[in-house]
Amino acid sequence: MHLPPPDAALSPRTGYTRDHWQAAADALLAAVEPYATEDRALYHFPGSRESWSGGLSDGLEGYARTLLLAAFRRDETALERYASGLAAGVSGAWPRIEDRSQPLVEAASIALALRLTRPLLWDRLDDGVRQRAAAWLGDALTAEPWPCNWELFPVTVGGFLEAVGHEQEASRKAIDRGLERIEQWYVGDGWYTDGPGRAFDYYNGWAMHLYPVLHAWLADDPDLLSLYGGRLTTHLADYARLFGGDGAPLHQGRSLTYRFATTAPLWLGALTDHTPLQPGETRRLASGALKYFLERDAVDDQGLLTLGWHGPDESVLQGYSGPASPYWASKGFLGLLLPSDHPVWTAQEEAGPAERQNAVTPIAGPNWLLQSTSSDGLVRLHNHGSEDVRYDPFYTRFAYSTVTRPLISPPDNSVTVGGDPHREGIVPLGAGDGWAASRNALSSGAELTSLVVAEGAVEVRAHLVSGAGPGTDVYVTGWARAESGDARSDLVGVYGLTGDSELSGTVGDGPTLFVALARLTAEHNPRPLAELVSVEMKVVATDGAHDVHDLTVRWSSGSEQHFRFGCTVADERSTTASWSVAPR
């Protein structure tokens, strides 16, 4: 991809400016054009992979997601081509929108693009085409979505159709219904779960916040914008911490092939004036992510976005991933809606959170602990509250980072008890100053109560195994090998564990606490872990079955932290589902 020369004065950290974003958008649009069908209604990209929705739906996905890019770019020449495709699509080339079908997803992108470019595209269409397009989109108003971020696709379609005067009552019902449904998944502090359960990931930014805020902004509804914009502002204070100093987003959650779609909420905050970030920080984070992927084979020799993370990579895909799926990265170009004289484009780049200072930040909603170090720009996420077993290992690991990816075998950042490495039914036990904790049951009926305590790049990981028989084997793993760069990992057993890259131990008579030190760092010649932290563990006898385990963590900085693992259920027969850990 040919981009302008870097601008070191305006963008001393990435070199990227608005011109770079425009050039990237233009190159992506030019590259997809040869793969349009003759009537331009479908875009069939090369490769043997087909999503579980089939080739016709995949072709619609190619149209819809690249149309969204053209809309953000406001490229009138490209929009004329998409107008031709729209006319053919709604005249029979596109599949119908049905309950829980992929066309419902793509209808939202089409409707949003039409709403954003109404004078340039919709208003120039023949009346017959507009009627057929509205009728095709209208099926989205009553189609049943999957109970997750899909609830917002009828909202997005309804917002457009209401604005153009089509089925206004049905459109309003679809909007109200979708917005009402996502309320049940708002957990506070700017965070949503992606449907029932505790699936926390980037869908918070590129879906759960994006669609309601854009709808409120486009509808010029001050009350809605105050509500959803306020939540976005709160969310971005956490979200900005998810990017490494090299621009990399955290390698966690599903749909990772959308790559720099992670930048959409950053731009959205600037666009709607609902952000805690300075303009130069917003651009630095967004440009950093775009540059990170463009420099790591996100685009192939034909200029097409590949299915993967760093280049083609089947391991990060889901069954719904088709050849055009990566083009939801188009959401990352939302910032091009901001005029060239907006401060987000004219301010000098400022350092992101991971570059400014070391930080260990508790995130209450998902019960995460974010740990970043300014010397190497690494960000680590300690997960004590997010899970989605359908997409394990992208949700259920104890930790994720901006330089490692989850491994299948042996599983990284995991605890295996009696041969069972699975982590399901996570119960958050809190996150606070430098710590986070959780509990989960194992298939055997045993229970794992886990704590992480962090300072700088160092972690203390403690796991209490209860309900397992004496002699049960326990295995603990740490960080996987970094994907690139100089990052290295350490894992050292402190209590109950021996070994090197994989630690092992056995359960004693009664609940047994296992403690290890871990580190992921790109620092040159870091000090030994034993010089940076010490751990003291005491078992305080109470009534035998419910002994209390006290843990003291002493850092080389001089600070101390004290925690207690204790049983909270009075039933003498219960040794499972009853342990907690908290500061003392």
Side-chain angles (χ1 to χ4, degrees), residues 416-419 444 446 465 467-475 505-508 514:
T416 300
V417 179
S444 64
V465 178
T472 300
D473 291 330
V474 174
Y475 296 94
T506 57
V507 174
F514 300 89

Side-chain angles (χ1 to χ4, degrees), residues 214-374:
L214 274 181
H215 168 70
W217 180 68
L218 290 167
D220 196 21
D221 187 323
D223 293 334
L224 273 187
L225 189 57
S226 176
L227 172 64
Y228 295 119
R231 291 178 179 179
L232 174 64
T233 299
T234 303
H235 181 70
L236 287 175
D238 293 336
Y239 192 83
R241 296 183 179 276
L242 304 184
F243 296 86
D246 60 356
L250 279 160
H251 200 109
Q252 181 267 345
R254 63 190 175 99
S255 299
L256 292 175
T257 195
Y258 301 160
R259 294 184 175 102
F260 44 85
T262 54
T263 68
L266 301 170
W267 295 123
L268 182 65
L271 181 68
T272 63
D273 198 26
H274 285 87
T275 179
L277 309 178
Q278 293 298 311
E281 183 182 4
T282 293
R283 191 177 79 253
R284 186 273 173 274
L285 293 171
S287 293
L290 177 63
K291 183 177 183 179
Y292 176 83
F293 287 113
L294 292 185
E295 291 183 345
R296 290 168 176 80
D297 300 322
V299 176
D300 66 16
D301 292 341
Q302 286 72 48
L304 300 175
L305 288 172
T306 58
L307 277 159
W309 183 255
H310 292 172
D313 183 357
E314 292 274 337
S315 71
V316 302
L317 305 181
Q318 283 75 41
Y320 55 76
S321 303
S325 290
Y327 284 87
W328 237 19
S330 296
K331 293 182 176 184
F333 290 88
L334 180 69
L336 291 178
L337 294 179
L338 291 160
S340 59
D341 60 353
H342 190 279
V344 81
W345 294 119
T346 60
Q348 187 179 57
E349 279 185 346
E350 298 182 27
E355 299 169 289
R356 292 197 293 265
Q357 60 187 10
N358 290 357
V360 180
T361 308
I363 308 296
N367 207 61
W368 285 349
L369 188 69
L370 295 182
Q371 176 190 19
S372 61
T373 42
S374 58

Side-chain angles (χ1 to χ4, degrees), residues 114-303:
L114 292 173
R115 195 175 186 186
L116 288 168
T117 62
R118 182 174 174 180
L120 302 177
L121 204 170
W122 180 260
D123 290 348
R124 298 179 182 181
L125 295 172
D126 292 341
D127 186 58
V129 174
R130 286 200 297 264
Q131 291 181 18
R132 289 190 292 274
W136 183 83
L137 288 168
D139 286 342
L141 301 177
T142 54
E144 184 63 27
W146 289 103
C148 59
N149 66 88
W150 280 47
E151 297 282 6
L152 293 167
F153 301 142
V155 171
T156 303
V157 174
F160 169 67
L161 292 179
E162 183 181 49
V164 297
H166 179 81
E167 294 190 35
Q168 290 184 299
E169 183 177 351
S171 296
R172 173 47 52 185
K173 286 182 178 179
I175 294 168
D176 293 342
R177 182 178 63 248
L179 295 181
E180 179 181 349
R181 285 180 175 179
I182 68 168
E183 284 305 300
Q184 63 188 305
W185 303 320
Y186 185 66
V187 299
D189 298 308
W191 285 88
Y192 295 87
T193 67
D194 187 18
R198 296 189 59 84
F200 296 98
D201 62 10
Y202 288 114
Y203 274 87
N204 264 274
W206 65 42
M208 305 303 289
H209 283 286
L210 181 71
Y211 294 112
V213 174
L214 274 181
H215 168 70
W217 180 68
L218 290 167
D220 196 21
D221 187 323
D223 293 334
L224 273 187
L225 189 57
S226 176
L227 172 64
Y228 295 119
R231 291 178 179 179
L232 174 64
T233 299
T234 303
H235 181 70
L236 287 175
D238 293 336
Y239 192 83
R241 296 183 179 276
L242 304 184
F243 296 86
D246 60 356
L250 279 160
H251 200 109
Q252 181 267 345
R254 63 190 175 99
S255 299
L256 292 175
T257 195
Y258 301 160
R259 294 184 175 102
F260 44 85
T262 54
T263 68
L266 301 170
W267 295 123
L268 182 65
L271 181 68
T272 63
D273 198 26
H274 285 87
T275 179
L277 309 178
Q278 293 298 311
E281 183 182 4
T282 293
R283 191 177 79 253
R284 186 273 173 274
L285 293 171
S287 293
L290 177 63
K291 183 177 183 179
Y292 176 83
F293 287 113
L294 292 185
E295 291 183 345
R296 290 168 176 80
D297 300 322
V299 176
D300 66 16
D301 292 341
Q302 286 72 48

